[in-house]
Amino acid sequence: MRKTLTALFAVFVATSSATAQKVGFDMGVHGGIAISAFEDLISDFYGVGFGGGGHVDANIVKFFTTRLNVEYYTFAADQNKLREAVAPAFGLRASDIASSSGGAVNVFIVTMNALGKIPTGTAVTPYTLFGFGIHS
């Protein structure tokens, strides 16, 4: 993971430093709720989560931008459903299992994107996006 993050950062620096005289930088943050789309095996135990992230844009030329994006999301487990599912596997009743705060799913995402902006002459700027990244 460290090598991939280093490679993403190197691409970002290379594309921005190559045109450093003309490059403008922007940044932003976001946060909010997240709706899980887990596989059937675990989807019963997780619902809505929350998280957020931020990005740094390097505006290379008027209609082209590179974006480094980092996000983090967490989904808490429904402890009652989790105990009810686990208890039979160990020959226990759900009430025999103490409540815990474990079982959360945490997702960390890093992406590197290229944005091709479509000029409209208005406040709205549609764009195309191409990117790659990792999540853990």
Side-chain angles (χ1 to χ4, degrees):
M1 180 162 168
R2 185 177 294 169
K3 289 180 183 180
T4 305
L5 290 174
T6 303
L8 288 171
F9 185 72
V11 168
F12 181 76
V13 170
T15 57
S16 62
S17 62
T19 56
Q21 306 297 341
K22 305 172 192 173
V23 174
F25 289 94
D26 294 316
M27 59 187 291
V29 295
H30 62 275
I33 64 169
I35 300 171
S36 65
F38 298 116
E39 294 183 23
D40 290 340
L41 181 62
I42 63 171
S43 64
D44 290 341
F45 308 115
Y46 299 94
V48 175
F50 66 94
H55 67 269
V56 177
D57 291 349
N59 301 307
I60 307 300
V61 293
K62 187 173 183 179
F63 304 114
F64 180 74
T65 298
T66 59
R67 173 176 287 175
L68 179 63
N69 191 55
V70 177
E71 298 175 282
Y72 176 80
Y73 296 95
T74 186
F75 299 89
D78 182 328
Q79 295 296 313
N80 292 328
K81 284 185 181 180
L82 196 55
R83 282 194 300 270
E84 289 171 7
V86 171
F90 295 98
L92 301 169
R93 294 177 304 202
S95 61
D96 294 336
I97 300 173
S99 179
S100 71
S101 60
V105 171
N106 301 301
V107 181
F108 180 71
I109 302 167
V110 177
T111 58
M112 184 69 184
N113 303 300
L115 286 80
K117 299 175 185 176
I118 302 167
T120 62
T122 67
V124 177
T125 305
Y127 61 89
T128 59
L129 177 70
F130 174 78
F132 62 92
I134 60 172
H135 69 274
S136 172

